[in-house]
Amino acid sequence: VNGIPDYIEHGKNGLLINAVAENEIVMEGLANIERLLADPTLRQNLGRAARQYAMQHFSRETFHKSYRKLLFV
């Protein structure tokens, strides 16, 4: 989906699928799931980084600040 790579960095705060063919998408998705299942530390680190990113970029305070800036410029 367009835009997702703007927010998710593969291996840092999530795992992306780059394939375009349906079969390859499925295989890459399964490989990502298997990787997450096999590595609890990776799951924790990705989850922690994703939450931190979301709080920094999509928190209520950030939304209010951006909205005010848009309206009162």
Side-chain angles (χ1 to χ4, degrees), residues 54-66:
M55 295 302 293
Q56 288 174 349
H57 294 87
F58 305 109
S59 70
R60 182 180 302 224
E61 293 80 23
T62 302
F63 173 78
H64 287 165
K65 199 183 298 184
S66 298

Side-chain angles (χ1 to χ4, degrees), residues 7-8 12-14 43-59:
Y7 305 105
I8 297 176
K12 182 176 178 186
N13 63 347
R43 287 196 308 267
Q44 291 173 348
N45 290 341
L46 290 176
R48 192 175 299 114
R51 184 177 192 286
Q52 182 179 9
Y53 184 91
M55 295 302 293
Q56 288 174 349
H57 294 87
F58 305 109
S59 70

Side-chain angles (χ1 to χ4, degrees), residues 9-62:
E9 187 177 336
H10 186 75
K12 182 176 178 186
N13 63 347
L15 298 174
L16 296 172
I17 295 173
N18 295 310
V20 291
E22 184 176 352
N23 241 10
E24 293 171 2
I25 292 169
V26 171
M27 296 308 292
E28 197 171 335
L30 286 172
N32 284 342
I33 291 169
E34 288 172 350
R35 183 175 171 198
L36 290 170
L37 287 171
D39 191 344
T41 302
L42 176 64
R43 287 196 308 267
Q44 291 173 348
N45 290 341
L46 290 176
R48 192 175 299 114
R51 184 177 192 286
Q52 182 179 9
Y53 184 91
M55 295 302 293
Q56 288 174 349
H57 294 87
F58 305 109
S59 70
R60 182 180 302 224
E61 293 80 23
T62 302

